[in-house]
């Protein structure tokens, strides 16, 4: 019996002796909480930050919405870095690489600043670890991001859309990115095409980050058919309407119909064109000028046609015979139509016709000049949008000099009737070191008492909510 137990014990312990274990298997099996916690920390690279290589493969760009200033894209991220703690001896273990769950080791947590939503295709991706400790992690995602489209030359616009990736869990002294992007889009049957993809490391930020720039170009076929062709057709029809004689009653109906059609088209045009706080599309101004020209042409036709109609009624009243059945004296045959003065009948009509002809020539010249001027503006006009308010502020901290002051704050709590802290609200503490607080330190006022709406901000700054006596109790 004892010999059988010894043989059985030897048979159970023999595989563990022949199969060597990896050094980091203790962390995966959670035999040691200290080693498990150490495996989840960022690998050390001495005094230099850990270098993470990021390869961004742009697989698709779709649903470009210029009205909402959004763009959707499909990306594949390949992240690689070196973790010496995961390396093993090749002679002791025959495997060249193993796959591990992402939750079992440290991986960079990325956030897209411009994203409205992000859909990660694989919620539990696997990381591939090689013998030398090189780690590779592939992430596939679909995201919708904001994009500041440059729509001055819409619908022939070109814009650069950025996707900024931040590792908010680390600092720039711990982590550094080296990014590279590849355009893998193979389909060109779309309204917006991707001309190029480039990457850059965002400077002057307190957290590790890199940026992917997508260069988009509008093919403009849909917008040309839907916007430019109808507008030019209305303008040409209006010019041709000026060739109708002024005496023709159909001319007024023709002009009014064109004006109403133009108003309907302009209302739908406003809804279809994007608007911006700066650098609006040139087409908005162009269509507005065309609308004004069409309105002037219709107004001129109505006014001159009214003058001719009034003159025609006056002429009929002068040349009309006496009442029917009224006897005439034989010695008084009545007025001679040939001897009756025309009172400027021919001169008025010739004046109206000459004015209409002159206006038609001026109108045609105005239309041609507007087309030429618009073409020149389209080719040489430039517009630079105003910089956004947060462009000079690094992500993760403030670049203001007052932010480095030990007593600087981000929000001043106003709980009473006095913005300086007097009254029922908390009193602002004076600096213990006797230093003077900066009057230019940016602090916003949070009015919780309802009596300080027009009170200017406090000239001093407080360390924050936790350092103001009574602030915690007052806010509950």
């Amino acid at each position: 019996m004892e010999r059988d137990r010894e043989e059985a014990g030897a048979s159970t312990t023999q595989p563990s002796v022949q199969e060597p274990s990896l050094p980091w298997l203790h962390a995966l099996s959670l035999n040691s909480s200290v080693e498990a916690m150490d495996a989840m920390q960022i690998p050390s690279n001495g005094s230099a930050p850990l270098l993470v290589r990021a390869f961004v493969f742009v697989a698709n760009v779709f649903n470009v919405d210029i009205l909402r200033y959004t763009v959707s894209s499909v990306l594949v991220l390949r992240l690689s870095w070196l973790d010496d703690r995961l390396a093993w001896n090749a002679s002791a273990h025959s495997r060249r690489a193993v796959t591990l769950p992402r939750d079992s080791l440290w991986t960079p947590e990325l956030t897209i600043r411009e994203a409205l939503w992000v859909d990660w295709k694989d919620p539990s991706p696997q990381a591939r670890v090689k013998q030398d400790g090189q780690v590779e992690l592939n992430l596939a995602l679909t995201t919708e991001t904001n994009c500041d489209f440059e729509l001055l030359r819409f619908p022939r616009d070109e814009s650069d859309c950025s996707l900024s990736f931040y590792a908010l869990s680390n600092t720039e002294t711990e982590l550094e990115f080296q990014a590279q992007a590849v355009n893998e889009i193979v389909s060109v049957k779309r309204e917006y095409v991707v001309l190029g993809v480039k990457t850059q490391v965002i400077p002057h930020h307190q957290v590790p980050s890199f940026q992917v720039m997508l260069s988009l170009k509008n093919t403009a076929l849909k917008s040309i058919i839907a916007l430019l062709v109808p507008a030019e057709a209305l303008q040409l029809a209006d010019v041709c309407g000026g060739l109708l004689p002024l005496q023709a009653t159909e001319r007024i109906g023709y002009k009014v119909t064109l004006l109403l059609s133009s108003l309907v088209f302009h209302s739908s045009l406003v809804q279809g064109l994007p608007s911006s706080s700066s650098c609006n599309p040139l087409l908005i101004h162009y269509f507005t000028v065309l609308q004004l020209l069409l309105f002037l042409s219709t107004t001129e036709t109505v006014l001159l046609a009214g003058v001719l109609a009034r003159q025609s009624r006056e002429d009929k009243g002068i040349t009309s015979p006496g009442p029917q059945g009224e006897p005439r004296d034989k010695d008084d045959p009545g007025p001679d139509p040939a001897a009756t003065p025309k009172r400027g009948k021919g001169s008025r009509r010739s004046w109206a016709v000459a004015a209409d002809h002159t206006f038609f020539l001026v109108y045609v010249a105005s239309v041609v000049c507007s087309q030429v001027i618009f073409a020149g503006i389209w080719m040489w006009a430039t517009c630079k949008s105003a910089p956004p308010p947060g462009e000079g502020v690094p992500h993760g901290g403030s670049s203001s000099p007052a932010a480095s002051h030990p007593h600087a704050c981000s929000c001043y709590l106003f709980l009473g009737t006095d913005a300086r802290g007097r009254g029922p609200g908390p009193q602002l503490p004076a600096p213990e070191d006797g230093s003077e607080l900066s009057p230019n330190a940016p602090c916003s006022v949070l009015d919780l008492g309802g009596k300080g709406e027009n009170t200017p901000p406090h000239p001093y700054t407080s360390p924050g909510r936790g350092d103001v006596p009574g602030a915690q109790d007052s806010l509950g």
Side-chain angles (χ1 to χ4, degrees):
M1 295 292 292
E2 294 180 359
R3 182 178 299 176
D4 295 339
R5 290 178 181 177
E6 292 178 358
E7 293 178 354
S11 61
T12 57
T13 58
Q14 184 175 1
S16 62
V17 175
Q18 294 180 355
E19 186 70 16
S21 61
L22 301 181
W24 35 266
L25 282 180
H26 299 287
L28 298 181
S29 60
L30 299 182
N31 290 334
S32 174
S33 60
V34 177
E35 294 180 359
M37 184 178 298
D38 181 69
M40 298 300 296
Q41 301 302 317
I42 183 172
S44 176
N45 194 25
S47 59
L50 178 66
L51 180 61
V52 176
R53 294 179 175 85
F55 295 89
V56 183
F57 301 93
V58 182
N60 193 9
V61 174
F62 62 98
N63 196 20
V64 180
D65 193 344
I66 59 176
L67 298 180
R68 297 176 55 239
Y69 285 87
T70 58
V71 58
S72 301
S73 54
V74 178
L75 307 175
V76 177
L77 300 180
R78 179 177 297 172
L79 306 176
S80 62
W81 64 94
L82 182 63
D83 192 347
D84 296 332
R85 301 169 301 179
L86 304 181
W88 68 87
N89 191 355
S91 60
H93 199 282
S94 59
R95 291 187 178 181
R96 296 183 178 180
V98 294
T99 56
L100 301 176
R102 181 181 180 181
D103 297 336
S104 63
L105 70 160
W106 177 88
T107 57
E109 298 291 339
L110 297 179
T111 301
I112 304 177
R113 183 179 60 179
E114 299 85 358
L116 301 178
W117 53 264
V118 179
D119 181 19
W120 300 95
K121 296 302 182 180
D122 188 0
S124 301
Q126 299 287 324
R128 181 178 177 85
V129 183
K130 298 181 180 180
Q131 292 178 348
D132 56 353
Q134 193 72 24
V135 184
E136 289 186 0
L137 179 64
N138 295 321
L139 303 174
L141 63 120
T142 302
T143 180
E144 183 180 33
T145 56
N146 286 323
C147 179
D148 295 332
F149 295 106
E150 296 294 339
L151 300 175
L152 180 67
R153 290 179 174 83
F154 176 84
R156 297 294 297 176
D157 53 286
E158 296 183 8
S159 305
D160 292 333
C161 299
S162 60
L163 290 84
S164 305
F165 293 84
Y166 289 88
L168 300 179
S169 302
N170 303 102
T171 62
E172 58 182 1
T173 59
E174 298 175 339
L175 184 62
E176 179 184 3
F177 284 106
Q178 183 179 358
Q180 183 178 355
V182 179
N183 186 2
E184 291 189 342
I185 301 177
V186 296
S187 176
V188 294
K189 295 183 178 180
R190 59 195 67 213
E191 184 177 1
Y192 277 85
V193 295
V194 180
L195 297 180
V197 178
K198 60 182 180 180
T199 59
Q200 65 175 357
V201 177
I202 305 177
H204 309 297
H205 279 65
Q206 298 183 0
V207 294
S209 58
F210 66 93
Q211 193 175 64
V212 179
M213 301 292 295
L214 304 176
S215 298
L216 304 179
K217 182 180 180 180
N218 193 353
T219 56
L221 180 60
K222 177 181 177 181
S223 301
I224 289 177
I225 296 176
L227 301 178
L228 292 179
V229 172
E232 295 297 334
L234 285 175
Q235 191 67 47
L236 181 60
D238 184 53
V239 172
C240 294
L243 299 176
L244 295 175
L246 189 61
Q247 296 83 358
T249 57
E250 294 83 2
R251 178 172 173 177
I252 295 180
Y254 180 82
K255 289 282 188 177
V256 172
T257 302
L258 284 180
L259 180 60
L260 294 178
S261 302
S262 176
L263 291 175
V264 174
F265 172 73
H266 195 269
S267 62
S268 61
L269 179 69
V270 172
Q271 299 178 359
L273 282 179
S275 59
S276 173
S277 58
S278 60
C279 298
N280 283 290
L282 293 174
L283 282 184
I284 295 180
H285 308 284
Y286 175 69
F287 289 138
T288 303
V289 172
L290 295 185
Q291 184 74 24
L292 292 176
L293 290 175
L294 185 57
F295 174 76
L296 291 177
S297 175
T298 306
T299 303
E300 180 268 343
T301 299
V302 172
L303 291 178
L304 293 183
V307 172
L308 287 181
R310 182 177 180 181
Q311 181 61 34
S312 178
R313 287 195 301 267
E314 292 178 357
D315 295 340
K316 288 181 180 179
I318 294 174
T319 59
S320 60
Q324 186 176 2
E326 181 179 351
R328 287 186 180 274
D329 191 356
K330 296 181 179 180
D331 298 334
D332 186 11
D336 186 6
T340 303
K342 298 181 179 180
R343 297 196 305 178
K345 170 184 175 183
S347 62
R348 286 193 178 183
R349 288 191 175 183
S350 61
W351 172 83
V353 173
D356 180 65
H357 181 69
T358 304
F359 179 83
F360 175 75
L361 296 179
V362 174
Y363 182 75
V364 172
S366 301
V367 171
V368 174
C369 290
S370 65
Q371 301 286 337
V372 175
I373 293 175
F374 177 74
I377 295 176
W378 182 275
M379 294 178 60
W380 292 294
T382 58
C383 181
K384 185 177 182 181
S385 302
E391 182 178 9
V393 180
H395 194 89
S398 175
S399 61
S400 174
S404 59
H405 198 281
H407 301 285
C409 72
S410 59
C411 180
Y412 168 69
L413 300 179
F414 179 75
L415 303 178
T417 59
D418 193 351
R420 295 182 178 273
R422 299 188 297 269
Q427 300 292 329
L428 290 178
E432 298 179 357
D433 55 359
S435 60
E436 184 179 356
L437 299 180
S438 173
N440 298 323
C443 284
S444 58
V445 177
L446 178 61
D447 184 8
L448 301 181
K451 300 180 180 180
E453 297 178 359
N454 300 323
T455 306
H458 194 273
Y460 298 107
T461 59
S462 63
R465 173 178 170 181
D467 295 334
V468 179
Q472 183 69 25
D473 298 334
S474 301
L475 294 178

